[in-house]
Amino acid sequence: MLAGLSPGADNRPEAVARRLIRSGVKQVVMTLGENGALIVTDKSSIRVPAVCMSAVDTTGAGDAFNAGLAIALACGASLEEAVPFAAVTGGLASPRRASSLRCQPR
């Protein structure tokens, strides 16, 4: 909605972020659930992988991601350093079954 697009439309995350950049936003961090996160600036686009786990309940994972991002940035991390930290923070907030972990090769 911030990019002026219909929430029900099938929009690629990077295209939405680029639209925000063109509107004056300097950088965009977008969470993509099990697909990790995306950092977009006017010069780059970086995908950050998700934490490898089988989540039972993801309630609060986005809030934990935001908290991890804020803490890392407040401690002086660059955006490229802070987002992976935030991804781990969000992943740790999701209860999981250790016996059913599924990892994708990197």
Side-chain angles (χ1 to χ4, degrees):
M1 292 182 77
L2 291 173
L5 302 168
S6 171
D10 185 24
N11 297 302
R12 290 188 356 247
E14 187 172 345
V16 173
R18 291 274 168 221
R19 189 170 174 137
L20 290 168
I21 296 291
R22 284 191 302 275
S23 74
V25 174
K26 294 190 188 294
Q27 50 199 7
V28 175
V29 175
M30 189 179 295
T31 58
L32 306 171
E34 65 185 18
N35 295 316
L38 179 65
I39 305 168
V40 179
T41 69
D42 62 340
K43 294 181 172 82
S44 68
S45 176
I46 302 168
R47 290 233 177 213
V48 177
V51 175
C52 176
M53 67 171 40
S54 177
V56 175
D57 182 1
T58 60
T59 303
D63 292 334
F65 179 98
N66 290 336
L69 182 63
I71 289 294
L73 291 171
C75 289
S78 69
L79 196 58
E80 291 79 11
E81 295 167 329
V83 173
F85 179 81
V88 170
T89 305
L92 290 174
S94 301
R96 59 205 174 278
R97 291 184 298 256
S99 64
S100 62
L101 294 180
R102 290 187 200 105
C103 298
Q104 298 297 322
R106 293 188 183 178

Coordinates of all heavy atoms in Angstrom, one line a residue:
M1 N 0.8 -1.2 0.0 CA 0.0 0.0 0.0 C 0.9 1.3 0.0 O 0.5 2.2 -0.6 CB -1.0 0.0 1.2 CG -2.0 -1.1 1.0 SD -3.2 -1.1 2.4 CE -4.2 0.3 1.9
L2 N 2.0 1.2 0.7 CA 2.9 2.4 0.7 C 3.4 2.7 -0.7 O 3.7 3.9 -1.0 CB 4.1 2.1 1.7 CG 3.8 2.0 3.1 CD1 5.0 1.6 3.9 CD2 3.3 3.4 3.7
A3 N 3.5 1.7 -1.5 CA 4.0 1.9 -2.9 C 2.9 2.3 -3.8 O 3.2 2.5 -5.0 CB 4.8 0.7 -3.4
G4 N 1.7 2.4 -3.3 CA 0.6 2.7 -4.2 C 0.1 1.6 -5.0 O -0.6 1.8 -6.0
L5 N 0.3 0.4 -4.5 CA -0.1 -0.8 -5.2 C -1.2 -1.6 -4.5 O -1.2 -1.5 -3.2 CB 1.1 -1.8 -5.5 CG 2.3 -1.2 -6.3 CD1 3.5 -2.1 -6.2 CD2 1.9 -0.9 -7.7
S6 N -2.0 -2.3 -5.1 CA -3.1 -3.1 -4.5 C -2.4 -4.2 -3.6 O -1.6 -4.9 -4.2 CB -4.0 -3.7 -5.5 OG -4.9 -4.6 -4.9
P7 N -2.8 -4.4 -2.4 CA -2.2 -5.4 -1.6 C -2.5 -6.8 -2.1 O -1.8 -7.7 -1.8 CB -2.9 -5.2 -0.2 CG -3.7 -4.0 -0.3 CD -3.8 -3.5 -1.7
G8 N -3.6 -7.0 -2.9 CA -3.9 -8.3 -3.4 C -3.2 -8.6 -4.7 O -3.2 -9.7 -5.2
A9 N -2.5 -7.7 -5.3 CA -1.8 -7.9 -6.5 C -0.6 -8.7 -6.4 O 0.0 -8.8 -5.3 CB -1.4 -6.5 -7.2
D10 N -0.2 -9.4 -7.4 CA 1.0 -10.3 -7.4 C 2.2 -9.4 -7.8 O 2.6 -9.4 -9.0 CB 0.8 -11.5 -8.3 CG 2.0 -12.4 -8.3 OD1 2.6 -12.5 -7.2 OD2 2.2 -13.1 -9.3
N11 N 2.8 -8.7 -6.8 CA 3.9 -7.8 -7.1 C 5.2 -8.5 -6.6 O 5.2 -9.0 -5.4 CB 3.7 -6.5 -6.4 CG 2.5 -5.8 -6.9 OD1 2.4 -5.5 -8.1 ND2 1.5 -5.5 -6.1
R12 N 6.2 -8.5 -7.4 CA 7.5 -9.0 -6.9 C 8.1 -8.0 -5.8 O 8.0 -6.8 -6.0 CB 8.5 -9.0 -8.1 CG 8.1 -10.1 -9.1 CD 9.2 -10.3 -10.2 NE 10.3 -9.3 -10.1 CZ 10.6 -8.4 -11.0 NH1 9.8 -8.2 -12.0 NH2 11.6 -7.6 -10.8
P13 N 8.6 -8.6 -4.8 CA 9.1 -7.7 -3.7 C 10.1 -6.7 -4.1 O 10.0 -5.5 -3.7 CB 9.8 -8.7 -2.7 CG 9.0 -10.0 -3.0 CD 8.7 -10.0 -4.4
E14 N 11.1 -7.0 -5.0 CA 12.1 -6.0 -5.4 C 11.4 -4.9 -6.2 O 11.8 -3.8 -6.1 CB 13.2 -6.7 -6.2 CG 14.3 -5.7 -6.5 CD 15.5 -6.3 -7.1 OE1 15.7 -7.5 -7.1 OE2 16.3 -5.5 -7.6
A15 N 10.4 -5.2 -7.0 CA 9.7 -4.2 -7.8 C 9.0 -3.2 -6.9 O 9.0 -2.0 -7.1 CB 8.7 -4.8 -8.8
V16 N 8.4 -3.8 -5.8 CA 7.7 -2.9 -4.9 C 8.7 -2.0 -4.2 O 8.5 -0.8 -4.0 CB 6.9 -3.7 -3.8 CG1 6.4 -2.9 -2.7 CG2 5.8 -4.5 -4.5
A17 N 9.9 -2.6 -3.8 CA 10.9 -1.8 -3.1 C 11.5 -0.7 -4.0 O 11.7 0.4 -3.6 CB 12.0 -2.7 -2.6
R18 N 11.7 -1.1 -5.3 CA 12.2 -0.1 -6.3 C 11.2 1.1 -6.4 O 11.6 2.2 -6.6 CB 12.5 -0.7 -7.6 CG 13.6 -1.7 -7.6 CD 14.9 -1.0 -7.8 NE 16.0 -1.9 -7.6 CZ 17.1 -1.5 -6.9 NH1 17.2 -0.3 -6.5 NH2 18.1 -2.3 -6.7
R19 N 9.9 0.8 -6.4 CA 8.9 1.8 -6.5 C 9.0 2.8 -5.3 O 8.9 4.0 -5.5 CB 7.5 1.2 -6.6 CG 6.5 2.2 -6.9 CD 5.2 1.5 -7.3 NE 4.1 2.5 -7.4 CZ 3.2 2.4 -8.4 NH1 3.2 1.5 -9.2 NH2 2.3 3.3 -8.4
L20 N 9.3 2.2 -4.1 CA 9.4 3.1 -2.9 C 10.7 3.9 -3.1 O 10.7 5.1 -2.7 CB 9.5 2.2 -1.7 CG 8.2 1.5 -1.3 CD1 8.4 0.5 -0.2 CD2 7.2 2.6 -0.8
I21 N 11.8 3.3 -3.6 CA 13.0 4.1 -3.8 C 12.8 5.2 -4.7 O 13.2 6.4 -4.4 CB 14.1 3.1 -4.3 CG1 14.5 2.0 -3.3 CG2 15.4 3.9 -4.7 CD1 15.2 2.5 -2.0
R22 N 12.1 5.0 -5.8 CA 11.8 6.1 -6.8 C 11.0 7.2 -6.1 O 11.0 8.3 -6.6 CB 11.1 5.5 -8.0 CG 12.0 4.8 -8.9 CD 11.4 4.5 -10.3 NE 10.2 3.7 -10.2 CZ 10.1 2.4 -10.1 NH1 11.2 1.7 -10.2 NH2 9.0 1.7 -10.1
S23 N 10.2 6.8 -5.1 CA 9.3 7.9 -4.5 C 10.1 8.7 -3.4 O 9.6 9.6 -2.8 CB 8.1 7.2 -3.8 OG 8.5 6.5 -2.6
G24 N 11.4 8.3 -3.2 CA 12.2 9.1 -2.3 C 12.7 8.4 -1.1 O 13.5 8.9 -0.3
V25 N 12.3 7.1 -0.8 CA 12.8 6.3 0.3 C 14.2 6.0 0.0 O 14.6 5.6 -1.2 CB 11.9 5.1 0.4 CG1 12.5 4.1 1.5 CG2 10.5 5.4 0.8
K26 N 15.1 6.1 1.0 CA 16.6 5.9 0.7 C 16.9 4.4 0.7 O 17.8 4.0 -0.1 CB 17.4 6.6 1.7 CG 17.3 8.1 1.6 CD 18.3 8.8 2.5 CE 18.0 10.3 2.5 NZ 18.2 11.0 1.3
Q27 N 16.3 3.6 1.5 CA 16.6 2.2 1.6 C 15.4 1.4 2.1 O 14.6 2.0 2.9 CB 17.8 1.9 2.4 CG 17.8 2.5 3.8 CD 19.2 2.6 4.4 OE1 20.2 2.3 3.8 NE2 19.3 3.0 5.6
V28 N 15.2 0.2 1.6 CA 14.1 -0.6 2.0 C 14.6 -1.9 2.5 O 15.4 -2.6 1.9 CB 13.1 -0.9 0.8 CG1 12.0 -1.8 1.2 CG2 12.6 0.4 0.3
V29 N 14.0 -2.4 3.7 CA 14.3 -3.7 4.2 C 12.9 -4.4 4.2 O 12.0 -3.9 4.8 CB 14.9 -3.7 5.6 CG1 15.0 -5.1 6.1 CG2 16.2 -3.0 5.6
M30 N 12.8 -5.5 3.5 CA 11.5 -6.2 3.4 C 11.7 -7.6 3.9 O 12.6 -8.3 3.4 CB 11.1 -6.2 1.9 CG 9.7 -6.6 1.7 SD 9.3 -6.5 -0.1 CE 9.3 -4.8 -0.4
T31 N 10.8 -8.1 4.8 CA 10.9 -9.4 5.2 C 10.1 -10.3 4.2 O 9.0 -9.9 3.7 CB 10.3 -9.6 6.7 OG1 9.0 -9.1 6.7 CG2 11.2 -8.9 7.7
L32 N 10.6 -11.5 4.0 CA 10.0 -12.4 3.0 C 9.6 -13.7 3.6 O 9.6 -14.8 2.9 CB 10.9 -12.5 1.8 CG 11.4 -11.3 1.1 CD1 12.4 -11.6 0.1 CD2 10.2 -10.5 0.5
G33 N 9.4 -13.8 4.9 CA 9.0 -15.0 5.6 C 10.1 -16.1 5.4 O 11.3 -15.8 5.6
E34 N 9.7 -17.3 5.0 CA 10.7 -18.4 4.8 C 11.7 -18.1 3.7 O 12.7 -18.8 3.6 CB 10.0 -19.7 4.6 CG 9.2 -19.7 3.3 CD 8.4 -21.0 3.1 OE1 8.2 -21.7 4.1 OE2 8.1 -21.3 1.9
N35 N 11.5 -17.1 3.0 CA 12.5 -16.7 1.9 C 13.5 -15.6 2.4 O 14.2 -15.1 1.5 CB 11.7 -16.2 0.7 CG 10.9 -17.3 0.0 OD1 11.4 -18.5 -0.1 ND2 9.7 -17.0 -0.3
G36 N 13.5 -15.3 3.7 CA 14.5 -14.4 4.2 C 14.1 -13.0 4.2 O 12.9 -12.6 4.5
A37 N 15.0 -12.1 3.8 CA 14.7 -10.7 3.7 C 15.4 -10.1 2.5 O 16.3 -10.7 1.9 CB 15.2 -10.0 5.0
L38 N 15.0 -8.9 2.2 CA 15.5 -8.2 1.0 C 15.9 -6.8 1.4 O 15.2 -6.1 2.1 CB 14.5 -8.1 -0.1 CG 14.8 -7.4 -1.4 CD1 15.9 -8.2 -2.1 CD2 13.5 -7.3 -2.2
I39 N 17.2 -6.4 1.1 CA 17.6 -5.0 1.3 C 17.7 -4.4 -0.1 O 18.4 -4.9 -1.0 CB 19.0 -5.0 1.9 CG1 19.1 -5.8 3.2 CG2 19.5 -3.5 2.1 CD1 20.5 -6.0 3.7
V40 N 17.1 -3.2 -0.3 CA 17.1 -2.5 -1.6 C 17.5 -1.1 -1.3 O 16.9 -0.4 -0.5 CB 15.8 -2.6 -2.3 CG1 15.9 -1.9 -3.7 CG2 15.4 -4.1 -2.6
T41 N 18.5 -0.6 -2.1 CA 18.9 0.8 -2.1 C 18.8 1.2 -3.6 O 18.6 0.4 -4.5 CB 20.3 1.0 -1.5 OG1 21.2 0.5 -2.4 CG2 20.4 0.4 -0.1
D42 N 19.2 2.5 -3.8 CA 19.2 2.9 -5.2 C 20.3 2.3 -6.0 O 20.2 2.2 -7.3 CB 19.3 4.5 -5.3 CG 20.6 5.0 -4.7 OD1 21.2 4.3 -3.9 OD2 20.9 6.1 -5.1
K43 N 21.3 1.7 -5.4 CA 22.4 1.1 -6.1 C 22.5 -0.4 -6.0 O 23.2 -1.1 -6.7 CB 23.7 1.7 -5.5 CG 23.9 3.1 -5.8 CD 25.2 3.6 -5.3 CE 25.5 5.0 -5.8 NZ 24.9 6.1 -5.0
S44 N 21.7 -1.0 -5.1 CA 21.9 -2.5 -4.9 C 20.6 -3.2 -4.4 O 19.7 -2.5 -3.9 CB 23.0 -2.8 -3.9 OG 22.6 -2.4 -2.6
S45 N 20.6 -4.5 -4.5 CA 19.6 -5.3 -4.0 C 20.2 -6.6 -3.5 O 21.0 -7.3 -4.2 CB 18.6 -5.7 -5.1 OG 17.6 -6.6 -4.6
I46 N 20.0 -6.9 -2.2 CA 20.7 -8.0 -1.5 C 19.7 -8.9 -0.9 O 18.8 -8.4 -0.1 CB 21.7 -7.5 -0.4 CG1 22.7 -6.6 -1.1 CG2 22.4 -8.7 0.3 CD1 23.6 -5.8 0.0
R47 N 19.7 -10.2 -1.2 CA 18.8 -11.1 -0.5 C 19.6 -11.7 0.7 O 20.7 -12.1 0.6 CB 18.4 -12.3 -1.5 CG 17.5 -11.8 -2.5 CD 16.3 -12.6 -2.6 NE 15.3 -12.1 -3.6 CZ 14.1 -12.2 -3.4 NH1 13.5 -12.8 -2.4 NH2 13.3 -11.7 -4.3
V48 N 18.9 -11.8 1.8 CA 19.4 -12.4 3.0 C 18.6 -13.6 3.3 O 17.4 -13.6 3.4 CB 19.3 -11.4 4.2 CG1 19.8 -12.0 5.5 CG2 20.1 -10.1 3.9
P49 N 19.3 -14.8 3.4 CA 18.5 -16.0 3.6 C 17.9 -16.1 5.0 O 18.3 -15.5 6.0 CB 19.6 -17.1 3.5 CG 20.9 -16.4 3.8 CD 20.7 -15.0 3.4
A50 N 16.8 -16.9 5.1 CA 16.1 -17.1 6.4 C 16.9 -18.1 7.2 O 17.8 -18.8 6.7 CB 14.7 -17.7 6.1
V51 N 16.6 -18.1 8.5 CA 17.2 -19.1 9.4 C 16.6 -20.4 9.0 O 15.4 -20.6 8.8 CB 16.9 -18.7 10.9 CG1 17.3 -19.8 11.8 CG2 17.5 -17.4 11.2
C52 N 17.4 -21.5 9.0 CA 17.0 -22.8 8.6 C 16.3 -23.5 9.8 O 16.9 -23.8 10.8 CB 18.2 -23.6 8.3 SG 17.9 -25.3 7.9
M53 N 15.0 -23.6 9.7 CA 14.2 -24.2 10.8 C 12.8 -24.6 10.3 O 12.4 -24.1 9.2 CB 14.1 -23.3 12.0 CG 13.2 -22.1 11.7 SD 12.8 -21.1 13.1 CE 14.3 -21.1 14.0
S54 N 12.1 -25.4 11.0 CA 10.7 -25.7 10.8 C 9.9 -25.0 11.9 O 9.9 -25.5 13.0 CB 10.5 -27.2 10.8 OG 9.1 -27.5 10.6
A55 N 9.3 -23.9 11.6 CA 8.6 -23.1 12.6 C 7.2 -23.7 12.9 O 6.5 -24.2 11.9 CB 8.5 -21.7 12.1
V56 N 6.8 -23.7 14.1 CA 5.5 -24.2 14.5 C 4.6 -23.0 14.5 O 3.4 -23.1 14.1 CB 5.6 -24.9 15.9 CG1 4.2 -25.3 16.4 CG2 6.5 -26.1 15.8
D57 N 5.0 -21.9 15.0 CA 4.2 -20.7 15.2 C 5.1 -19.5 14.9 O 6.1 -19.3 15.6 CB 3.6 -20.6 16.6 CG 2.7 -19.4 16.8 OD1 2.5 -18.6 15.8 OD2 2.2 -19.3 17.9
T58 N 4.8 -18.7 13.9 CA 5.6 -17.5 13.6 C 5.1 -16.2 14.2 O 5.7 -15.1 13.9 CB 5.7 -17.3 12.0 OG1 4.4 -17.1 11.5 CG2 6.4 -18.6 11.4
T59 N 4.2 -16.3 15.1 CA 3.7 -15.1 15.8 C 4.8 -14.4 16.5 O 5.5 -15.0 17.3 CB 2.5 -15.5 16.8 OG1 1.5 -16.2 16.1 CG2 2.0 -14.2 17.4
G60 N 5.0 -13.1 16.2 CA 6.0 -12.3 16.8 C 7.3 -12.3 16.1 O 8.2 -11.6 16.5
A61 N 7.5 -13.2 15.1 CA 8.8 -13.2 14.4 C 9.1 -11.9 13.7 O 10.2 -11.4 13.7 CB 8.8 -14.3 13.3
G62 N 8.1 -11.2 13.1 CA 8.3 -9.9 12.5 C 8.7 -8.9 13.5 O 9.6 -8.0 13.2
D63 N 8.1 -8.9 14.6 CA 8.4 -7.9 15.7 C 9.8 -8.2 16.2 O 10.6 -7.2 16.4 CB 7.4 -8.0 16.9 CG 6.0 -7.6 16.5 OD1 5.9 -6.7 15.6 OD2 5.1 -8.0 17.1
A64 N 10.2 -9.5 16.3 CA 11.6 -9.8 16.8 C 12.6 -9.4 15.7 O 13.7 -8.9 16.0 CB 11.7 -11.3 17.1
F65 N 12.2 -9.6 14.4 CA 13.1 -9.1 13.3 C 13.3 -7.6 13.5 O 14.5 -7.2 13.4 CB 12.5 -9.5 12.0 CG 13.3 -9.0 10.8 CD1 14.1 -9.9 10.1 CD2 13.2 -7.7 10.3 CE1 14.9 -9.5 9.0 CE2 14.0 -7.3 9.2 CZ 14.8 -8.2 8.6
N66 N 12.3 -6.9 13.6 CA 12.4 -5.4 13.7 C 13.2 -5.0 14.9 O 14.0 -4.1 14.8 CB 11.0 -4.7 13.8 CG 10.3 -4.8 12.4 OD1 10.9 -5.0 11.4 ND2 9.0 -4.8 12.5
A67 N 13.0 -5.7 16.0 CA 13.8 -5.4 17.2 C 15.3 -5.7 17.0 O 16.2 -4.9 17.4 CB 13.3 -6.2 18.4
G68 N 15.6 -6.8 16.4 CA 17.0 -7.2 16.1 C 17.6 -6.2 15.2 O 18.8 -5.8 15.3
L69 N 16.9 -5.7 14.2 CA 17.4 -4.7 13.2 C 17.7 -3.4 13.9 O 18.7 -2.8 13.7 CB 16.3 -4.5 12.1 CG 16.7 -3.5 11.0 CD1 17.9 -4.0 10.2 CD2 15.6 -3.3 10.0
A70 N 16.7 -3.0 14.8 CA 16.9 -1.7 15.5 C 18.1 -1.8 16.4 O 18.9 -0.8 16.5 CB 15.7 -1.4 16.3
I71 N 18.3 -2.9 17.1 CA 19.4 -3.0 18.1 C 20.7 -3.0 17.3 O 21.7 -2.3 17.7 CB 19.2 -4.3 18.9 CG1 18.1 -4.1 19.9 CG2 20.5 -4.7 19.6 CD1 18.4 -3.1 21.0
A72 N 20.8 -3.8 16.2 CA 22.0 -3.9 15.5 C 22.4 -2.5 14.9 O 23.6 -2.1 15.0 CB 21.9 -4.9 14.4
L73 N 21.5 -1.8 14.3 CA 21.7 -0.5 13.8 C 22.2 0.5 14.9 O 23.1 1.3 14.7 CB 20.5 0.0 13.0 CG 20.2 -0.7 11.7 CD1 18.9 -0.2 11.2 CD2 21.3 -0.5 10.7
A74 N 21.5 0.4 16.1 CA 21.8 1.3 17.2 C 23.2 1.0 17.7 O 23.9 1.9 18.2 CB 20.8 1.1 18.3
C75 N 23.7 -0.2 17.5 CA 25.0 -0.6 18.0 C 26.1 -0.3 16.9 O 27.3 -0.6 17.1 CB 25.1 -2.0 18.4 SG 24.2 -2.4 19.9
G76 N 25.7 0.3 15.8 CA 26.7 0.7 14.8 C 26.8 -0.2 13.6 O 27.7 0.1 12.8
A77 N 26.0 -1.2 13.5 CA 26.2 -2.1 12.4 C 25.7 -1.5 11.1 O 24.8 -0.6 11.2 CB 25.4 -3.4 12.6
S78 N 26.2 -1.9 10.0 CA 25.7 -1.4 8.7 C 24.4 -2.1 8.4 O 24.1 -3.1 9.1 CB 26.7 -1.7 7.6 OG 26.8 -3.1 7.4
L79 N 23.7 -1.7 7.5 CA 22.4 -2.3 7.1 C 22.7 -3.8 6.7 O 22.0 -4.7 7.0 CB 21.7 -1.6 6.0 CG 20.2 -1.9 5.8 CD1 19.4 -1.7 7.1 CD2 19.7 -1.1 4.7
E80 N 23.8 -4.0 5.9 CA 24.1 -5.3 5.4 C 24.5 -6.2 6.6 O 24.4 -7.5 6.4 CB 25.3 -5.2 4.4 CG 24.9 -4.6 3.1 CD 24.8 -3.0 3.1 OE1 25.3 -2.4 4.1 OE2 24.2 -2.4 2.2
E81 N 25.0 -5.7 7.7 CA 25.3 -6.5 8.8 C 24.1 -6.7 9.7 O 23.9 -7.7 10.3 CB 26.4 -5.8 9.7 CG 27.7 -5.7 9.0 CD 28.7 -4.8 9.7 OE1 28.3 -3.8 10.3 OE2 29.9 -5.0 9.6
A82 N 23.2 -5.7 9.8 CA 22.1 -5.7 10.7 C 21.0 -6.6 10.3 O 20.3 -7.3 11.1 CB 21.6 -4.3 10.9
V83 N 20.7 -6.7 9.0 CA 19.6 -7.6 8.5 C 19.9 -9.0 8.8 O 18.9 -9.7 9.2 CB 19.3 -7.3 7.0 CG1 18.3 -8.2 6.5 CG2 18.8 -5.8 6.9
P84 N 21.0 -9.6 8.5 CA 21.2 -11.0 8.9 C 21.0 -11.2 10.4 O 20.5 -12.3 10.8 CB 22.7 -11.3 8.5 CG 22.9 -10.4 7.4 CD 22.2 -9.1 7.8
F85 N 21.5 -10.3 11.2 CA 21.3 -10.4 12.7 C 19.8 -10.4 13.0 O 19.3 -11.2 13.8 CB 22.0 -9.2 13.4 CG 21.8 -9.3 14.9 CD1 22.5 -10.1 15.7 CD2 20.8 -8.4 15.5 CE1 22.3 -10.1 17.1 CE2 20.6 -8.4 16.8 CZ 21.3 -9.3 17.6
A86 N 19.0 -9.5 12.3 CA 17.6 -9.4 12.5 C 16.9 -10.7 12.0 O 15.9 -11.2 12.7 CB 17.0 -8.3 11.7
A87 N 17.4 -11.4 10.9 CA 16.8 -12.6 10.5 C 17.0 -13.7 11.5 O 16.1 -14.5 11.8 CB 17.5 -13.0 9.1
V88 N 18.1 -13.8 12.1 CA 18.4 -14.8 13.2 C 17.5 -14.5 14.4 O 16.8 -15.4 15.0 CB 19.9 -14.8 13.6 CG1 20.1 -15.6 14.9 CG2 20.7 -15.3 12.5
T89 N 17.4 -13.2 14.8 CA 16.5 -12.8 15.9 C 15.1 -13.2 15.6 O 14.4 -13.7 16.5 CB 16.6 -11.3 16.1 OG1 18.0 -10.9 16.3 CG2 15.8 -10.8 17.3
G90 N 14.6 -12.9 14.4 CA 13.2 -13.3 14.1 C 13.0 -14.8 14.1 O 12.0 -15.3 14.6
G91 N 14.0 -15.5 13.6 CA 13.9 -17.0 13.5 C 13.9 -17.6 14.9 O 13.2 -18.5 15.2
L92 N 14.7 -17.0 15.8 CA 14.7 -17.5 17.2 C 13.4 -17.3 18.0 O 13.1 -18.0 19.0 CB 15.9 -17.0 18.0 CG 17.3 -17.4 17.5 CD1 18.4 -16.7 18.2 CD2 17.4 -18.9 17.7
A93 N 12.6 -16.3 17.5 CA 11.4 -16.0 18.2 C 10.3 -17.0 17.8 O 9.2 -17.0 18.4 CB 10.9 -14.6 17.8
S94 N 10.5 -17.8 16.8 CA 9.5 -18.8 16.3 C 9.7 -20.1 17.0 O 10.8 -20.8 16.8 CB 9.6 -19.0 14.8 OG 9.4 -17.7 14.2
P95 N 8.8 -20.6 17.8 CA 8.9 -22.0 18.4 C 9.1 -22.9 17.2 O 8.5 -22.8 16.1 CB 7.6 -22.2 19.1 CG 7.1 -20.8 19.3 CD 7.5 -20.0 18.2
R96 N 9.9 -24.0 17.4 CA 10.2 -24.9 16.3 C 10.4 -26.3 16.9 O 10.6 -26.5 18.1 CB 11.5 -24.4 15.6 CG 12.7 -24.4 16.5 CD 13.7 -23.4 16.0 NE 14.8 -23.2 16.8 CZ 14.8 -22.4 17.9 NH1 13.8 -21.7 18.2 NH2 15.9 -22.2 18.6
R97 N 10.3 -27.2 16.0 CA 10.5 -28.6 16.3 C 11.9 -29.0 15.8 O 12.2 -29.0 14.6 CB 9.5 -29.5 15.5 CG 8.1 -29.4 16.1 CD 7.2 -30.4 15.3 NE 7.2 -30.1 13.9 CZ 6.2 -29.5 13.3 NH1 5.1 -29.1 14.0 NH2 6.2 -29.3 12.0
A98 N 12.8 -29.2 16.7 CA 14.2 -29.5 16.3 C 14.3 -30.8 15.5 O 15.2 -30.9 14.6 CB 15.1 -29.6 17.5
S99 N 13.4 -31.7 15.6 CA 13.5 -33.0 14.9 C 13.1 -32.9 13.5 O 13.3 -33.8 12.7 CB 12.6 -34.1 15.6 OG 11.3 -33.6 15.6
S100 N 12.5 -31.8 13.1 CA 12.0 -31.7 11.7 C 12.7 -30.5 10.9 O 12.0 -29.9 10.1 CB 10.5 -31.5 11.7 OG 10.1 -30.4 12.4
L101 N 13.9 -30.2 11.3 CA 14.6 -29.0 10.6 C 14.8 -29.4 9.1 O 15.1 -30.5 8.8 CB 15.9 -28.7 11.2 CG 15.9 -28.2 12.6 CD1 17.3 -28.0 13.1 CD2 15.1 -26.9 12.7
R102 N 14.5 -28.4 8.3 CA 14.8 -28.6 6.8 C 15.6 -27.4 6.3 O 15.2 -26.3 6.5 CB 13.4 -28.6 6.1 CG 12.6 -29.8 6.3 CD 11.4 -29.9 5.4 NE 10.5 -30.7 6.0 CZ 9.4 -30.4 6.7 NH1 9.1 -29.1 6.7 NH2 8.6 -31.2 7.2
C103 N 16.8 -27.7 5.8 CA 17.7 -26.7 5.3 C 17.8 -26.8 3.8 O 17.8 -27.8 3.2 CB 19.0 -26.9 5.9 SG 19.1 -26.7 7.7
Q104 N 17.8 -25.6 3.2 CA 18.1 -25.5 1.8 C 19.5 -25.3 1.6 O 20.1 -24.5 2.3 CB 17.3 -24.3 1.2 CG 15.8 -24.5 1.3 CD 15.3 -25.7 0.6 OE1 15.7 -26.0 -0.5 NE2 14.3 -26.4 1.1
P105 N 20.2 -25.9 0.6 CA 21.6 -25.6 0.3 C 21.8 -24.2 0.0 O 20.9 -23.6 -0.7 CB 21.9 -26.6 -0.8 CG 20.7 -27.4 -1.1 CD 19.6 -26.9 -0.3
R106 N 22.9 -23.6 0.4 CA 23.2 -22.2 0.1 C 24.2 -22.1 -1.0 O 25.0 -22.9 -1.3 CB 23.7 -21.5 1.3 CG 22.6 -21.4 2.3 CD 23.0 -20.5 3.4 NE 22.0 -20.5 4.4 CZ 22.0 -19.9 5.5 NH1 23.1 -19.2 5.8 NH2 21.0 -19.9 6.3

